[in-house]
Amino acid sequence: GLGLGTIYRLLIAVVATFSELRLHFLEVPAVTEPTRLLTRVGLPPGLSYLILSKDRDPAYAAFRELVATTPGLCITGSYPPKLQRRFALERTPVLWVTSASGYDFCVGPKALEFELLQSIVRFVKSNPATVVLVDSVDLFVHTNGFEAVTRFLRRVNNRAAERRSTIIAAVDPEALTEG
């Protein structure tokens, strides 16, 4: 007979194996985009930025400028092919935070602390001095709560700082007001 401790260890091993297999599929390639930019935003690399704007264009303009010379990763709650066309992100990997399935790089909105954080950490760890855009921070706040998102962004920022990577977080300040 199996004891309760053995069953518990077996269950933990199965969950850990499943999680590792799931995260393995979320390994993101490091590529740069061809340069076709006329305007320059001029954010110095290696720092973290919070862009407060109802319009996502400033965050994507800064990100697009940086991925012309530095590998990047885009985290968004918006449909990736639409963003890729709009902002000329032909090669940059886009991780879609959604409840939908069927897209190569997607993660559930409630998986902020585990799958999403680990995917970003792996990317930054494997590719020092990269850039990560975390779009739709307001969506994460509505789904996970302000404190969980603050904790998540702090962890991402700490990992990025260790590896001299740039973090750009975009949030619509009007979406965060209570009402």
Side-chain angles (χ1 to χ4, degrees):
L2 297 174
L4 186 58
T6 305
I7 292 172
Y8 179 73
R9 277 183 260 158
L10 179 63
L11 181 64
I12 294 296
V14 168
V15 169
T17 302
F18 174 76
S19 297
E20 183 62 32
L21 288 173
R22 172 75 173 121
L23 288 175
H24 176 73
F25 292 121
L26 292 178
E27 287 187 25
V28 182
V31 296
T32 58
E33 292 288 345
T35 305
R36 295 184 292 182
L37 300 175
L38 298 176
T39 60
R40 296 280 179 227
V41 176
L43 293 181
L47 300 173
S48 296
Y49 301 94
L50 178 63
I51 298 180
L52 299 169
S53 176
K54 187 167 184 63
D55 182 14
R56 299 295 197 230
D57 289 354
Y60 278 97
F63 179 70
R64 180 63 181 85
E65 180 180 327
L66 290 170
V67 296
T69 57
T70 305
L73 170 64
C74 178
I75 313 294
T76 184
S78 300
Y79 185 59
K82 186 177 177 180
L83 286 177
Q84 289 167 319
R85 281 189 305 274
R86 181 171 177 203
F87 297 106
L89 299 172
E90 298 149 7
R91 300 180 58 198
T92 300
V94 178
L95 184 57
W96 189 19
V97 181
T98 180
S99 298
S101 60
Y103 186 74
D104 289 339
F105 294 115
C106 65
V107 64
K110 291 279 190 181
L112 196 65
E113 287 292 321
F114 188 68
E115 282 182 287
L116 187 56
L117 179 63
Q118 291 305 314
S119 297
I120 294 170
V121 167
R122 282 182 178 205
F123 180 77
V124 169
K125 210 172 181 182
S126 301
N127 312 291
T130 56
V131 58
V132 177
L133 171 62
V134 182
D135 183 17
S136 305
V137 172
D138 39 309
L139 169 71
F140 301 149
V141 169
H142 288 295
T143 306
N144 298 283
F146 185 79
E147 295 208 13
V149 174
T150 302
R151 195 171 39 251
F152 164 76
L153 288 174
R154 187 175 323 116
R155 288 179 179 157
V156 167
N157 186 45
N158 291 342
R159 293 299 180 143
E162 292 171 357
R163 306 301 285 181
R164 297 176 328 276
S165 292
T166 304
I167 301 296
I168 301 170
V171 62
D172 175 2
E174 292 179 17
L176 299 179
T177 59
E178 290 188 65

